[in-house]
Amino acid sequence: MEHSLSVSIVIPIGPAESIIPVGLIEDLRSIPSASEIIFVVCHQRFDDQYKQDIVATLAPFQVSWLESGQGRAVQMNYGAQAAQGEFIWFLHVDSRFSVELVESLWVNLSRAPDKLHYCLLQFLADGSNGMALNGWGANLRSRLLGIPFGDQGFAISKTLFAQVGGYPEDASYGEDHLFVWYARQRGIKLKCCTQYLQTSARKYRDKGWWYLTCRYQYLWIRQAIPELLKLLKQRYFSARCQR
């Protein structure tokens, strides 16, 4: 493994979250010890003793607790600004991952530092039936169309993150989706870590698989169309200038 890499893991925690899942804590212990872990809360729900316990559990990692304004984009940008690592890996608080994923991702970051990295997606067995289809669709969309989403664990150099401009804080939804488009519009290519990053499917269980699946498909396609047109326009004028 590329232990010499300097990586900051930024994990935004929403106002409804009252604990850090034990599974995530266990998985974080598998990353190289030189890594930095940053939890970003938007409404303080954790007392000092709980935070101290998490820091002690994750020793010898450098662990920070930050408080920012509300909104995932705001929290991730705030965490990225505070990050000391050369690379930033954005994770959701309900993410799970293997040692093999860490090894593969660290190698990819070392060999392709100029790319936006993401992982294959797999849903945990805490949702409704049909989630295997959602995971398959997400991976097909990512690899065929070059449109991964944030639950696939974006990893990028801090320099490139600044060039992209961070996550759009004024977007009503899909800040991670837009971030990918902004990166591509700046000529940044994507790199897939061919290991599975797992994420919770509870929201599909709670709101209904059919409803949420159709809603998400509609929302990302509606958001993607204007960004695709911008990208095609850029490529058209770039091609004309090179003639």
Side-chain angles (χ1 to χ4, degrees):
M1 186 186 293
E2 302 291 338
H3 292 282
S4 61
L5 284 184
S6 173
V7 180
S8 297
I9 295 91
V10 173
I11 304 172
I13 303 173
E17 301 290 344
S18 58
I19 62 169
I20 309 298
V22 173
L24 175 61
I25 298 297
E26 293 175 351
D27 294 345
L28 286 170
R29 292 177 60 83
S30 69
I31 63 178
S33 59
S35 306
E36 174 188 29
I37 301 170
I38 302 174
F39 296 107
V40 188
V41 298
C42 55
H43 290 297
Q44 186 58 265
R45 297 177 62 90
F46 305 98
D47 59 35
D48 290 341
Q49 184 59 55
Y50 180 82
K51 291 189 290 185
Q52 290 172 13
D53 290 343
I54 295 296
V55 172
T57 301
L58 289 173
F61 300 107
Q62 179 182 338
V63 180
S64 301
W65 286 84
L66 305 179
E67 185 168 6
S68 73
Q70 185 169 346
R72 182 172 284 171
V74 174
Q75 292 172 256
M76 291 190 293
N77 287 340
Y78 193 77
Q81 185 177 15
Q84 299 298 310
E86 179 185 0
F87 296 93
I88 307 170
W89 186 22
F90 295 96
L91 285 177
H92 289 183
V93 73
D94 55 9
S95 296
R96 295 297 309 272
F97 55 89
S98 65
V99 174
E100 290 77 15
L101 181 146
V102 174
E103 292 175 348
S104 178
L105 181 60
W106 258 240
V107 168
N108 284 356
L109 289 172
S110 176
R111 295 178 179 176
D114 57 343
K115 294 183 179 180
L116 170 60
H117 299 258
Y118 68 94
C119 304
L120 294 177
L121 182 67
Q122 184 178 64
F123 286 96
L124 294 167
D126 59 354
S128 55
N129 294 330
M131 295 312 302
L133 179 61
N134 293 64
W136 176 84
N139 295 326
L140 181 66
R141 181 194 66 237
S142 302
R143 305 194 75 169
L144 187 63
L145 302 179
I147 311 175
F149 290 169
D151 51 9
Q152 293 174 252
F154 294 164
I156 189 171
S157 75
K158 190 171 182 179
T159 299
L160 285 184
F161 182 80
Q163 290 179 13
V164 175
Y167 292 94
E169 298 181 3
D170 58 348
S172 58
Y173 70 94
E175 69 286 332
D176 51 347
H177 177 223
L178 290 173
F179 181 82
V180 173
W181 283 108
Y182 296 167
R184 292 180 59 185
Q185 289 162 7
R186 286 161 177 78
I188 299 172
K189 296 186 178 184
L190 278 64
K191 175 72 174 176
C192 178
C193 169
T194 55
Q195 296 288 331
Y196 287 99
L197 180 65
Q198 296 180 306
T199 190
S200 174
R202 288 173 301 172
K203 56 189 175 184
Y204 287 88
R205 179 195 64 201
D206 297 340
K207 296 187 179 180
W209 178 85
W210 181 256
Y211 166 77
L212 209 55
T213 298
C214 292
R215 177 170 174 77
Y216 282 166
Q217 293 304 307
Y218 165 73
L219 289 174
W220 84 257
I221 291 173
R222 184 180 74 171
Q223 195 176 56
I225 290 173
E227 302 304 326
L228 174 61
L229 294 176
K230 290 178 186 177
L231 180 62
L232 294 175
K233 184 177 179 180
Q234 287 179 353
R235 290 181 176 177
Y236 170 75
F237 284 110
S238 177
R240 285 186 60 112
C241 292
Q242 292 176 5
R243 291 178 182 174

